[in-house]
Amino acid sequence: MPATFLDKLDATGPKKLLAIDGGGIRGLIAIEYLARIEALLRERSGRSDLVLGDYFDYVAGTSTGGILATLVALGMPVDRMREFYVGKAREMFAPATFLKRFQNRYVAARLAATIRDVLGDMTLGSEDLRTLLLLVMRNATTDSPWPVSNNPRAMYNDRSLANCNLQVPLWQLVRASTAAPVYFPPEEIDFGDERFLFVDGAVTMYNNPSFLLFCMATLEPYRLQWPVGEDRLLLVSVGTGLSRKSDANLKATQMNLIYNAARIPSALIYSALVEQDRLCRIFGRMRAGGPPTIDSEIGALAAATGGLVSPKLFTYMRYNLLLSSAELASLGLAEIAESEVQPLDRVDKLDELRRVGAASAARLVAAEHFEGFV
């Protein structure tokens, strides 16, 4: 029988963490990174049946990354994940009726049914999960980010508690993490006798949950306290493409209420993505990844030393790309317009998204990155 997440709590040897960003249907880009990682690990290990759920010990995801992280934790091969996304994309993004679109663009029930078809009635504490799993959402009722995991030692996972997180249906938590404002309505979840409204974890600081995952695997309050060190902890962070809307012709008079309402959320999400990556590059030894630089002043931070960052606390890889015309052209995909792959809901551009992800994965992901962790 495959190992469950319980078997990995105190297992010896290096610990391996995987974090997957949010990004709507651009999750197809992340799938191509995961496919490349899985193929290389199979080759290096000599196991043709290896799945990422066997290799990684703790997997985290936000929004569409939450769906993918859950499928990884279930032991699903990446080929099946791809089939699921391609086959179910239009069901997950089923348009709402005209009047409902003043609240949300898409139908929540169709998305929920699609997720539940895979997960059934299993709870967060199900031993069908092969890895520890972290899902990020925002509790709109309490106005706070809620990272929820199946770590049995965590404070709110005590099964004697009436509101124990482990008893919550997993499909509801995944649906909550994907409840992107404007796109989908919130998800109501009962924790014991308390009911909360949840929205997408992308509207917290953790649309990229990588550094949060590191903290929850190592800090004392979470009661895992896995050992740190470059040879003891691996963190792999997988993105869904960065979308940066620069405008050299922007005028101050254009930045009115409507402009700010439309642009500020995406600007904050972009900044949060970059900051999580920056923290990982500072505290971890960056072995490889992209985009190659954080910004023009600090570069890649691959060799940052001094103060709190020496010695390094983990080995780090970040796989992502900037969805710009220049980047697409450099991948040999100049015929794909950035406007086709930047939106979160272009279900008519699945092939383009797959091609972008595959080309970027072939460039960025290499077998030697996993040296010492196979």
Side-chain angles (χ1 to χ4, degrees):
M1 286 182 61
T4 74
F5 70 94
L6 295 172
D7 298 311
K8 296 183 176 182
L9 294 176
D10 298 310
T12 58
K15 296 296 186 182
K16 292 153 288 191
L17 317 179
L18 172 66
I20 310 172
D21 293 5
I25 199 58
R26 292 192 338 228
L28 274 167
I29 294 174
I31 284 173
E32 296 306 323
Y33 290 126
L34 297 176
R36 173 82 170 158
I37 293 169
E38 185 181 74
L40 292 174
L41 290 174
R42 285 178 174 180
E43 183 179 332
R44 287 186 71 89
S45 68
R47 288 183 50 195
S48 61
D49 62 344
L50 180 143
V51 292
L52 298 180
D54 295 329
Y55 178 78
F56 288 101
D57 300 291
Y58 204 160
V59 183
T62 302
S63 194
T64 197
I67 298 176
L68 292 175
T70 302
L71 298 181
V72 169
L74 281 172
M76 184 179 287
V78 180
D79 281 348
R80 283 184 55 202
M81 294 184 208
R82 186 190 293 113
E83 290 171 5
F84 172 77
Y85 261 63
V86 172
K88 299 293 186 179
R90 286 176 172 80
E91 289 184 42
M92 289 191 286
F93 287 89
T97 61
F98 177 76
L99 291 178
K100 289 285 188 181
R101 287 184 203 177
F102 287 98
Q103 292 180 306
N104 307 285
R105 295 182 189 176
Y106 302 104
V107 180
R110 298 285 289 277
L111 174 62
T114 301
I115 296 170
R116 196 166 186 176
D117 282 347
V118 176
L119 301 180
D121 293 323
M122 74 170 62
T123 62
L124 178 63
S126 170
E127 292 187 27
D128 288 332
L129 297 173
R130 300 189 188 186
T131 73
L132 287 170
L133 174 65
L134 166 62
L135 298 170
V136 183
M137 59 208 74
R138 177 178 175 270
N139 188 327
T141 304
T142 63
D143 191 25
S144 57
W146 268 41
V148 177
S149 83
N150 62 341
N151 170 13
R153 298 170 184 168
M155 179 182 297
Y156 296 106
N157 288 351
D158 182 342
R159 290 189 180 274
S160 67
L161 298 174
N163 60 348
C164 173
N165 291 344
L166 298 179
Q167 299 168 2
V168 178
L170 183 55
W171 73 266
Q172 276 197 291
L173 296 170
V174 174
R175 218 307 268 169
S177 184
T178 62
V182 178
Y183 292 91
F184 295 100
E187 178 73 12
E188 273 191 317
I189 303 181
D190 292 327
F191 287 78
D193 58 0
E194 294 184 282
R195 175 169 292 185
F196 301 108
L197 271 177
F198 290 93
V199 296
D200 197 319
V203 290
T204 69
M205 282 295 293
Y206 310 117
N207 191 44
N208 169 357
S210 54
F211 196 72
L212 173 66
L213 174 61
F214 163 70
C215 292
M216 291 183 69
T218 59
L219 294 182
E220 186 277 331
Y222 300 105
R223 302 172 184 172
L224 279 178
Q225 294 180 268
W226 285 347
V228 299
E230 290 181 45
D231 60 343
R232 306 179 81 178
L233 195 64
L234 172 69
L235 173 55
V236 180
S237 177
V238 172
T240 60
L242 291 170
S243 177
R244 186 168 60 200
K245 295 178 173 62
S246 58
D247 184 355
N249 299 313
L250 181 63
K251 296 178 174 58
T253 54
Q254 294 174 254
M255 300 180 68
N256 53 32
L257 288 174
I258 295 174
Y259 174 94
N260 285 318
R263 293 294 187 92
I264 287 177
S266 61
L268 293 176
I269 290 172
Y270 177 85
S271 298
L273 281 169
V274 172
E275 185 60 16
Q276 287 278 306
D277 186 18
R278 185 200 311 262
L279 288 169
C280 288
R281 294 180 190 223
I282 291 171
F283 286 88
R285 174 69 64 192
M286 188 171 181
R287 190 172 275 186
T293 63
I294 293 289
D295 62 41
S296 59
E297 182 174 18
I298 61 176
L301 285 178
T305 58
L308 292 175
V309 298
S310 183
K312 298 293 187 178
L313 303 181
F314 52 93
T315 293
Y316 176 59
M317 281 96 80
R318 170 69 169 169
Y319 302 124
N320 205 12
L321 80 160
L322 183 63
L323 294 171
S324 65
S325 296
E327 181 74 3
L328 293 171
S330 75
L331 292 171
L333 300 172
E335 73 279 8
I336 298 177
E338 61 180 51
S339 60
E340 295 178 314
V341 290
Q342 286 185 351
L344 305 181
D345 57 351
R346 288 297 298 270
V347 294
D348 59 328
K349 297 297 178 182
L350 302 182
D351 185 61
E352 286 83 353
L353 288 164
R354 286 181 56 191
R355 289 167 60 202
V356 169
S360 183
R363 171 186 285 181
L364 294 178
V365 187
E368 57 266 26
H369 297 171
F370 296 86
E371 190 71 41
F373 292 97
V374 179

